[in-house]
Amino acid sequence: QVRLEESGGGLVQAGDSLRLSCIVSGLTFRSYVMGWFRQAPGKEREFVAAIHWSGGNTYYADSVKGRFNISRDNPKNTVYLQMNRLKPEDTAVYYCAADRYLVSLTESAGGIETKWGQGTQVTVTS
């Protein structure tokens, strides 16, 4: 069965950094586009970043571009989100996602075939 397990969230101050990890099992990892989403209280889940199966192409929401970096280690079935210069508005539950198609993550905010993790809480204080 497919499993996505996030870790690395926590409570930090504005300007600090965190690195989130997502370990994937139950699918052919390198055949999937991986992504990160986040959801704050009272808001819809929003796209944060995605990385293609090859690791050569990355995509970011404008709100995090230049601060966050997504990467993947295919032999370890792991995707990372390095978050730098964190802001209070980054506070949210962060979710790892996997899909066969890039547009399902970057344009559709997930589709019927998207696989989701349980989420990890990131809280940034001012």
Side-chain angles (χ1 to χ4, degrees):
Q1 193 164 21
V2 176
R3 293 182 62 188
L4 287 73
E5 298 179 271
E6 303 100 329
S7 63
L11 175 65
V12 298
Q13 294 182 339
D16 287 350
S17 297
L18 282 173
R19 189 179 76 158
L20 307 183
S21 300
C22 176
I23 301 176
V24 181
S25 62
L27 53 75
T28 304
F29 180 73
R30 72 181 186 91
S31 297
Y32 280 76
V33 179
M34 299 298 303
W36 289 95
F37 291 75
R38 65 188 183 186
Q39 187 168 24
K43 295 185 177 181
E44 296 182 355
R45 184 175 295 181
E46 67 173 332
F47 170 77
V48 175
I51 185 167
H52 206 256
W53 63 267
S54 68
N57 294 320
T58 57
Y59 310 84
Y60 299 94
D62 289 340
S63 59
V64 306
K65 191 173 298 182
R67 298 189 298 121
F68 291 11
N69 293 290
I70 188 171
S71 61
R72 66 191 295 164
D73 188 337
N74 285 347
K76 295 182 178 179
N77 285 11
T78 303
V79 62
Y80 305 95
L81 184 67
Q82 178 66 46
M83 304 183 293
N84 301 314
R85 302 190 302 280
L86 283 161
K87 304 175 180 179
E89 52 262 43
D90 295 320
T91 296
V93 177
Y94 283 71
Y95 297 91
C96 180
D99 202 283
R100 293 275 192 177
Y101 302 99
L102 176 67
V103 294
S104 294
L105 302 181
T106 62
E107 298 181 10
S108 301
I112 191 170
E113 298 297 328
T114 302
K115 313 301 182 182
W116 297 96
Q118 294 297 309
T120 184
Q121 177 70 48
V122 173
T123 302
V124 185
T125 61
S126 60

